[in-house]
C-alpha cells in the first residue's frame, strides 16, 4: 500500500477544516437563535436525567455488539468476546465523534476482528451490520413520520423525514444485495488488492445475509432505546412526554443526524433539527 501524497493529505485536512467550521458555525447559530441563557438553563434542568441517559447509551452499545455477534455466528465464525466488545466500544466512540462515523466504525471493527474471523467474514459482517443499521433507521422513519405529520402537518420537517426513510431503504437494499450481485468478484476484476478475497467475501456475505433479520431486530431495539433517551430528556425539561411528541422528536433527530453525517460529531446538525 502506498502512502498518500502531500496533495491528498492537504485536501483531506482542508475538508476536515471546512467541516469543522460549518459544524461550529451551525451550532453557534442555533445557540444564538435559541438563546444562551435558555440553553444553559435547559442543561441544568436536564442534569438529573443524564445518568439514565448514559445508562441507556451503554445498552445501545451492547445492542450494537449483539447485532454484530449474530452476524459472525451466522457465518459460522463466532468471534472471541473480549476483542469483539473492545472493538464495538471503540467503534461506538468513532461513530458519534467522527465525520461519516458509522462507516469508519464498521471499518475499524472489521480490521480488529479480521485476525480472529478472517478478513472476508469480518468485511461481510461489517457490510451486513451497516445494512442492518440502515434498515433499522428506515423502520424508525416509517414509525416516526406519522408522529411528525401529526405535529407538523404537511411541512418541510415531514417531507424531510419521509425522504430520510426512502433513502435508508434504498441504501440498505443496495448493501443487502451486494453478495447476490457478486460485488467482491466484480471488484476483484478491477482491483488487484481484492482479487483473491473477492469471491470469499461474496460467499461469506451470502451466509451473513441469511441472518440479517436478527441484526435488524437488535439495531431496531437500539433505535427504541434512543427514542427513550429523548423522552427522558423531554420530561426533565418539562416538555410534553406523549408517545407522539417523543416519536416526532426522534424522527427529526435521526433526519438531522443523517444530514450532518459529514460534520465532526454531527455538531450543529441535530441541534438545528431539534430546534426546528
Amino acid at each position: 500500500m502506498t502512502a498518500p501524497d502531500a496533495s491528498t493529505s492537504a485536501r483531506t485536512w482542508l475538508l476536515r477544516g471546512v467541516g469543522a467550521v460549518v459544524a461550529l458555525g451551525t451550532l453557534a447559530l442555533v445557540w444564538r437563535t435559541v438563546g444562551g441563557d435558555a440553553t444553559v438553563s435547559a442543561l441544568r434542568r436536564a442534569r438529573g436525567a443524564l445518568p439514565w441517559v448514559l445508562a441507556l447509551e451503554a445498552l445501545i452499545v451492547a445492542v450494537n455488539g449483539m447485532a454484530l455477534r449474530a452476524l459472525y455466528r451466522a457465518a459460522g465464525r463466532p468471534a472471541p468476546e473480549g476483542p469483539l466488545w473492545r472493538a464495538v466500544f471503540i467503534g461506538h466512540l468513532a461513530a458519534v465523534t467522527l465525520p461519516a462515523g458509522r462507516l469508519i466504525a464498521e471499518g475499524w471493527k472489521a480490521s480488529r476482528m479480521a485476525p480472529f474471523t478472517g478478513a472476508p467474514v469480518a468485511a461481510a459482517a461489517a457490510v451486513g451490520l451497516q445494512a442492518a443499521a440502515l434498515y433499522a433507521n428506515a423502520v424508525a422513519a416509517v414509525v416516526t413520520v406519522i408522529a411528525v405529520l401529526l405535529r407538523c402537518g404537511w411541512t418541510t420537517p415531514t417531507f424531510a423525514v419521509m425522504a430520510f426513510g426512502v433513502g435508508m431503504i434504498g441504501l440498505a437494499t443496495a448493501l443487502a444485495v451486494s453478495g447476490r450481485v457478486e460485488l467482491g468478484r466484480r471488484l476483484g476484476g478491477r482491483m488487484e488488492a481484492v482479487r483473491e478475497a473477492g469471491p470469499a467475501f461474496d460467499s461469506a456475505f451470502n451466509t451473513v445475509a441469511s441472518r440479517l433479520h436478527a441484526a435488524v431486530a437488535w439495531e431496531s431495539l437500539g433505535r427504541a432505546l434512543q427514542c427513550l433517551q429523548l423522552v427522558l430528556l423531554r420530561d426533565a425539561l418539562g416538555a410534553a412526554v406523549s408517545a407522539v411528541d417523543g416519536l416526532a422528536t426522534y424522527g427529526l433527530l435521526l433526519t438531522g443526524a443523517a444530514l450532518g453525517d459529514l460534520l465532526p460529531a454531527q455538531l450543529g446538525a441535530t441541534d438545528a433539527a431539534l430546534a426546528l
Side-chain angles (χ1 to χ4, degrees):
M1 181 180 295
T2 59
D5 57 34
S7 61
T8 301
S9 298
R11 192 181 307 113
T12 299
W13 281 106
L14 177 61
L15 291 174
R16 289 176 179 174
V18 171
V21 170
V22 172
L24 293 174
T26 306
L27 185 61
L29 179 61
V30 172
W31 181 285
R32 181 177 178 180
T33 302
V34 176
D37 292 340
T39 303
V40 172
S41 177
L43 289 172
R44 288 173 177 169
R45 294 201 305 275
R47 65 179 181 270
L50 291 182
W52 296 103
V53 171
L54 292 175
L56 288 171
E57 191 69 20
L59 288 177
I60 291 169
V61 177
V63 162
N64 179 255
M66 292 301 292
L68 184 58
R69 189 168 177 259
L71 295 179
Y72 282 132
R73 289 180 177 274
R77 300 293 297 271
E81 299 293 334
L84 172 67
W85 290 106
R86 283 193 294 272
V88 168
F89 176 73
I90 296 174
H92 183 75
L93 296 179
V96 299
T97 56
L98 298 178
R102 185 65 191 249
L103 186 62
I104 294 174
E106 299 313 328
W108 160 262
K109 295 173 194 174
S111 67
R112 299 301 296 174
M113 300 311 299
F116 305 100
T117 64
V121 171
V127 175
L129 189 60
Q130 187 68 31
L134 293 171
Y135 273 130
N137 284 345
V139 171
V142 170
V143 174
T144 60
V145 72
I146 299 173
V148 177
L149 178 60
L150 290 174
R151 283 293 173 262
C152 302
W154 293 102
T155 58
T156 300
T158 303
F159 290 120
V161 178
M162 286 181 175
F164 168 73
V166 172
M168 293 297 101
I169 293 172
L171 289 172
T173 302
L175 287 177
V177 302
S178 60
R180 295 181 183 178
V181 300
E182 297 184 320
L183 178 63
R185 183 182 64 80
R186 293 174 186 273
L187 289 176
R190 297 174 178 272
M191 302 169 61
E192 182 69 29
V194 297
R195 181 164 297 172
E196 294 184 3
F201 166 82
D202 293 333
S203 176
F205 185 78
N206 285 327
T207 304
V208 164
S210 66
R211 289 291 303 276
L212 195 60
H213 61 280
V216 173
W218 282 113
E219 288 289 329
S220 296
L221 175 58
R223 303 303 179 273
L225 293 173
Q226 287 178 334
C227 187
L228 182 56
Q229 285 179 315
L230 287 178
V231 170
L232 288 175
L233 288 172
R234 287 178 64 94
D235 179 58
L237 294 172
V241 292
S242 69
V244 171
D245 292 312
L247 289 171
T249 304
Y250 186 55
L252 293 174
L253 178 71
L254 278 179
T255 304
L259 293 174
D261 200 36
L262 295 180
L263 300 179
Q266 298 173 345
L267 283 173
T270 52
D271 313 78
L274 291 176
L276 177 64

